[in-house]
Amino acid sequence: MASIIRVLEHSLLPIGYRQNGTEFTRAHWDALLRYHDTGAGRRYYAIQHRAIRFKHYVGVLQAGNLTIEVLPKADAVPGRPPETGENFDRWCRLLLRMLAEAGLLPVDSFNTALLHERENSLLDLYPALFLTEVEALLHRGLVKRYRPHEGQVKALKGSLLFSQHLVRNVVHQERFYTRHQTYDPDHLPHRLLRQALVLLPALTPSPTLHGRAARALLAWPEVAAVRPTPATFACLRYDRKMAAYRPALRIARLLLLRLSPEVNSGPQELIALFFNMNHVWEAYLLRTLRRLAPAGWAMRKPAKVVFWQAENGQQSRMQPDILLQHPTHGSLILDAKWKRPNGYHAENDLRQLFAYAHHFEATRVRLLYPQAGEETAVEGEFTRPLVGAGGAGPQVIRGGVSYIRVGQQTSNHDTSAATDIDSQTGYLRCSLSAELLAWLTS
């Protein structure tokens, strides 16, 4: 059984803290300190005296024999040690559902992976999803492709490279050195997937996943090794035959580029997989709005635009999170913020909305915070109107603040998952469905 400690984002994990018989020791703190000093861990947590304080990233760390799960909670109190009565199982389920509905997990394979034996930690989720996709590819048959090949053959085919042929085959006149096309499974997608299969046993202690990875690797064809980089995955193209490879390659990219062991100093090997909760919240709201929006509304994340140009060529850019547009109703800009405003919306967030409204000529803007308690929406308007929007006269810019609840509000000790899922749609309960129509028609 793996040693697991669960904490909430922004919480403090001190040396000596124990949870279910597992202790956070000085050796674990030292490993996280080394990871922090490399620069990789600074985004995820801060080092304090004999303690670790996590930031707004959620996910999982594995330091030696200890796995630390960092889970989201909108009303988590910054700097507080984990509470023994916290319902971590519910927050773990909510995180996985939000990742799936935000498009960061393939939903079909996510549901299939849950049918397998319950894994030890959140760290086992991505290897399980990856193996599910790889096993599906093996079952349906791997795609072969033509590729150029240069070398010795015993039958003349392709074009004979005469100079190389004379140099290499003075004695072996039964051979030909040619350049020709070969049809086999040795191409870039298969090389990347094999690299991920080779890496996978180092990422999880689960014997079940080790066995599945060994069987998949045994059935996988021998292909050339490749050193993956972001540019390697960027050059992949998905045609009709390769469309089925997209989920597996998406997970392989995460495993190879973000989940590879990054620190190997001493006996403590550290593996990290984290998500920026601000990006998860934004992606979740965007996909949920696309699902719920009435006909006629176009919804997208706009591209970055330049709002300041320096004489020396430097530029400053802005990019709203969500832009809703309608031919007759105009534009509505939404800005998603995963934070707790403590009863009062941040003025910097309102200034940001004001800049968005003037640059994109939108008369309606809105902040979307997660609901942590009983907060209610706030309506208002900016004192300076929007001048010359679409050739019209001055128009009032309406601004609002909404608190979006995800999942059903339950007691801290309620372990039921059914209340968080809408039985009719199969999606997480979300208060957007009740508020969206009012935003669009106001």
Side-chain angles (χ1 to χ4, degrees):
M1 181 69 179
S3 300
I4 301 175
I5 289 180
R6 287 176 164 179
V7 299
L8 298 176
E9 56 180 331
H10 302 294
S11 62
L12 189 74
L13 182 59
I15 294 176
Y17 173 78
R18 300 182 66 89
Q19 187 181 99
N20 298 326
T22 301
E23 182 180 359
F24 181 67
T25 66
R26 177 59 184 265
H28 300 136
W29 185 87
D30 288 338
L32 296 179
L33 175 62
R34 290 193 298 270
Y35 186 58
H36 184 273
D37 288 343
T38 64
R42 295 177 185 176
R43 292 181 298 172
Y44 310 139
Y45 55 85
I47 299 293
Q48 296 190 357
H49 177 63
R50 297 178 60 82
I52 299 293
R53 179 168 177 174
F54 294 96
K55 298 183 180 180
H56 60 279
Y57 285 81
V58 297
V60 63
L61 275 170
Q62 182 174 305
N65 62 343
L66 176 67
T67 299
I68 304 174
E69 292 185 1
V70 185
L71 303 173
K73 189 181 181 184
D75 59 350
V77 178
R80 176 180 293 179
E83 298 181 8
T84 55
E86 189 64 60
N87 189 356
F88 291 110
D89 286 337
R90 178 170 181 261
W91 295 118
C92 184
R93 287 192 298 265
L94 282 176
L95 172 60
L96 294 179
R97 284 288 176 180
M98 285 185 67
L99 290 173
E101 294 185 22
L104 303 175
L105 289 179
V107 178
D108 293 337
S109 56
F110 169 71
N111 293 329
T112 304
L114 293 182
L115 300 177
H116 288 282
E117 178 184 353
R118 174 72 176 174
E119 301 297 341
N120 291 325
S121 75
L122 192 63
L123 186 63
D124 295 325
L125 175 66
Y126 267 87
L129 292 174
F130 176 69
L131 288 172
T132 299
E133 293 293 339
V134 167
E135 289 163 354
L137 293 175
L138 288 170
H139 179 73
R140 65 183 295 167
L142 299 180
V143 173
K144 295 183 179 181
R145 279 182 171 177
Y146 286 101
R147 63 181 179 88
H149 178 76
E150 182 178 312
Q152 298 276 30
V153 293
K154 293 185 178 180
L156 181 60
K157 57 181 177 180
S159 58
L160 180 67
L161 301 181
F162 199 69
S163 59
Q164 294 286 342
H165 174 71
L166 291 178
V167 171
R168 297 169 183 265
N169 298 323
V170 173
V171 177
H172 297 281
Q173 298 184 5
E174 76 282 2
R175 299 177 184 173
F176 302 91
Y177 193 89
T178 67
R179 181 184 293 120
H180 57 275
Q181 295 281 339
T182 184
Y183 186 65
D184 60 18
D186 189 0
H187 49 83
L188 182 59
H190 286 168
R191 295 176 184 179
L192 292 171
L193 294 178
R194 182 176 177 81
Q195 290 288 97
L197 283 172
V198 172
L199 174 67
L200 192 142
L203 305 179
T204 172
S206 169
T208 302
L209 296 181
H210 283 190
R212 292 175 62 190
R215 289 190 295 271
L217 195 57
L218 187 63
W220 203 261
E222 291 288 342
V223 295
V226 61
R227 184 164 186 170
T229 64
T232 307
F233 286 90
C235 70
L236 293 174
R237 297 295 180 264
Y238 299 96
D239 54 18
R240 179 177 57 85
K241 289 185 178 181
M242 299 302 298
Y245 282 71
R246 189 187 298 270
L249 286 169
R250 284 177 57 194
I251 304 175
R253 182 182 186 278
L254 189 71
L255 297 177
L256 292 172
L257 299 184
R258 295 181 58 188
L259 199 55
S260 301
E262 296 177 275
V263 174
N264 291 298
S265 52
Q268 296 284 349
E269 181 181 87
L270 198 145
I271 302 170
L273 171 62
F274 277 99
F275 297 93
N276 187 330
M277 201 58 206
N278 286 313
H279 297 164
V280 175
W281 180 239
E282 174 194 327
Y284 168 76
L285 291 178
L286 177 59
R287 290 173 67 96
T288 302
L289 286 167
R290 284 175 175 168
R291 177 170 56 87
L292 297 176
W297 283 92
M299 202 163 309
R300 62 187 175 90
K301 180 179 178 65
K304 290 184 178 180
V305 294
V306 177
F307 72 92
W308 183 78
Q309 176 74 54
E311 294 181 354
N312 60 5
Q314 295 182 349
Q315 295 178 339
S316 292
R317 300 171 181 267
M318 65 167 59
Q319 183 181 32
D321 292 337
I322 304 171
L323 175 62
L324 292 82
Q325 292 177 308
H326 192 277
T328 57
H329 294 291
S331 300
L332 169 63
I333 291 178
L334 304 177
D335 197 38
K337 302 289 186 183
W338 179 265
K339 63 181 181 181
R340 187 182 185 186
N342 294 321
Y344 187 77
H345 38 276
E347 290 188 358
N348 287 337
D349 297 339
L350 291 175
R351 295 188 183 102
Q352 191 175 11
L353 284 183
F354 184 70
Y356 289 158
H358 277 271
H359 195 92
F360 288 88
E361 296 187 347
T363 56
R364 287 176 294 168
V365 290
R366 202 164 198 89
L367 286 170
L368 302 183
Y369 293 119
Q371 188 175 24
E374 299 299 330
E375 299 95 342
T376 57
V378 179
E379 304 296 335
E381 64 182 46
F382 292 96
T383 57
R384 184 174 178 85
L386 182 66
V387 180
Q395 299 184 53
V396 174
I397 304 174
R398 298 288 301 175
V401 180
S402 291
Y403 298 89
I404 308 303
R405 176 167 296 281
V406 177
Q408 184 70 23
Q409 184 173 11
T410 60
S411 66
N412 206 34
H413 301 281
D414 186 0
T415 59
S416 173
T419 55
D420 292 324
I421 307 297
D422 191 324
S423 58
Q424 296 182 349
T425 64
Y427 290 96
L428 277 174
R429 297 182 187 273
C430 182
S431 60
L432 275 177
S433 56
E435 299 184 31
L436 180 61
L437 190 60
W439 299 348
L440 301 183
T441 57
S442 61

